[in-house]
Amino acid sequence: MSATQHNSAHTVSDLAQDASKVPQRAAIRHDWTREEVEAFYDMPFNDLLFQAQIVHRQHFDPNEVQVSTLLSIKTGACPEDCKYCPQSARYDTGLEKERLLEMEKVIQRAKEAKQTGSTRFCMGAAWRNPKERDMPYLTQMVAEVKSLGLETCMTLGMLTRDQALALKQAGLDYYNHNLDTSPEFYGDIITTRTYQDRLDTLQHVRDAGMNVCSGGIVGMGESVSDRAGLLMQLANLPEHPQSVPINMLVKVDGTPLDKLEDMDPFEFIRTIAIARIMMPASHVRLSAGRENMSEQTQALCFMAGANSIFYGCKLLTTSNPDTHEDVLLFKKLGINTERTRDYSDEAHELLLEEALEQQQAPDELFYDATAGKTAGKQAETA
Ligand code: SAM
Ligand code: DTB
Ligand code: SF4
């Protein structure tokens, strides 16, 4: 290596370190205004990403990503009318409804998730809210999944104060309940429950001492001001949600939003960066929609401050990139995943080996859980 090369490598690493030291770590704020947030959307892209990187490095290892795995424990036939959702009984999406899953199946899937390197297992149900009669079964499920050494998360719809307490007592670590969009746009998307209902559930979860997972969806035809409004609502909660999922709408045939124009990926990346700046200490999850994103878009999302994803070829009912693809992408980017206590590195090495082998045989691209869809990555529509 020449002296110049050595110097420049040294300088780059110094710069990376200095970048985290230059501006003081800003105070955690809960008083964001719409104008401030909208101004972030108008900033030059590079300036925005640079600011997000600085904030990200002040709070997190920039090369570490948390991974969760989702499982739908009760699928379809939901009475709510969320216009984006394939599980609403009001839209004909061809989805087969399923009863509440048996415990053994849930445990089996949780074990598999842990084996692939997930640290959190998130169980979702297509409900308006859990029924009292289901609570003992749900609390048992939490306890059993937790005993595997995984963090637990559930998303079951609205919760009462007592239900939140019961889940917390059973060992539930996180509860996911999204605000979805701005208060102003909300009525265009959901009419069967109010924005205030959602805020109330978040308060019950916080009061019970659980970690809040709350975010939203972009690409539903909302304005930039609505995106700003969603982020402002999240960041102005009494505590920032510990986990903030940013979903890109997955357009499912039969839902009222299935014919919408694709969102510009740069606008999505901006939303991640702004979430990072506004909620510096929260995990920001690059959530649904990765199946339609190029590796480069995902890499820019990580650069913008996303530090969590869902592993596994299925989200709840729609497809997600195969874990082999994610392991390869992480390898290319030098990203490490958080590990469970007794995570086996052998399992990770095996996944990587398999991924590299599959790369050699492009005709046999990755297994896709949702039959009918081409298994390879779809072209990103910019
Ligand atoms: N039924 C419960 C509820 O709505 O609170 C829990 C499950 S629900 C499917 C969880 C979240 O998934 C929704 O709040 C929404 O943000 C997200 N989601 C659902 N369908 C989606 C889609 N097509 N694209 C992106 N995100 C979606
Ligand atoms: C969240 O914000 N995204 C996940 C999780 N929380 C529950 C769900 C995405 C669902 C995408 C559509 C589906 O697979 O049904
Ligand atoms: Fe039901 Fe949840 Fe889907 Fe809304 S988002 S229709 S509440 S499953």
Side-chain angles (χ1 to χ4, degrees), residues 183-250:
E184 296 77 14
F185 190 58
Y186 183 85
D188 287 18
I189 302 295
I190 301 142
T191 68
T192 49
R193 66 165 76 131
T194 66
Y195 212 78
Q196 189 57 47
D197 287 333
R198 292 183 183 255
L199 293 170
D200 290 347
T201 292
L202 294 184
Q203 178 153 1
H204 296 153
V205 173
R206 257 194 323 272
D207 290 349
M210 272 186 288
N211 291 305
V212 169
C213 172
S214 188
I217 311 178
V218 288
M220 299 193 293
E222 73 285 344
S223 64
V224 169
S225 177
D226 289 316
R227 287 173 202 149
L230 165 70
L231 295 177
M232 200 180 98
Q233 285 289 326
L234 293 166
N236 289 350
L237 287 169
E239 266 180 62
H240 290 171
Q242 283 73 20
S243 162
V244 181
I246 305 293
N247 297 277
M248 164 90 91
L249 174 70
V250 178

Side-chain angles (χ1 to χ4, degrees), residues 74 76-91 124-129 155-158 177 180 190 192-193 198 217 316:
K74 192 267 158 194
C78 183
E80 302 296 279
D81 70 350
C82 317
K83 285 200 173 74
Y84 49 76
C85 187
Q87 304 205 66
S88 167
R90 298 168 194 240
Y91 318 127
W127 284 329
R128 174 176 166 80
N129 53 264
T155 179
L156 315 167
M158 295 185 286
H177 197 64
D180 279 347
I190 301 142
T192 49
R193 66 165 76 131
R198 292 183 183 255
I217 311 178
L316 288 171

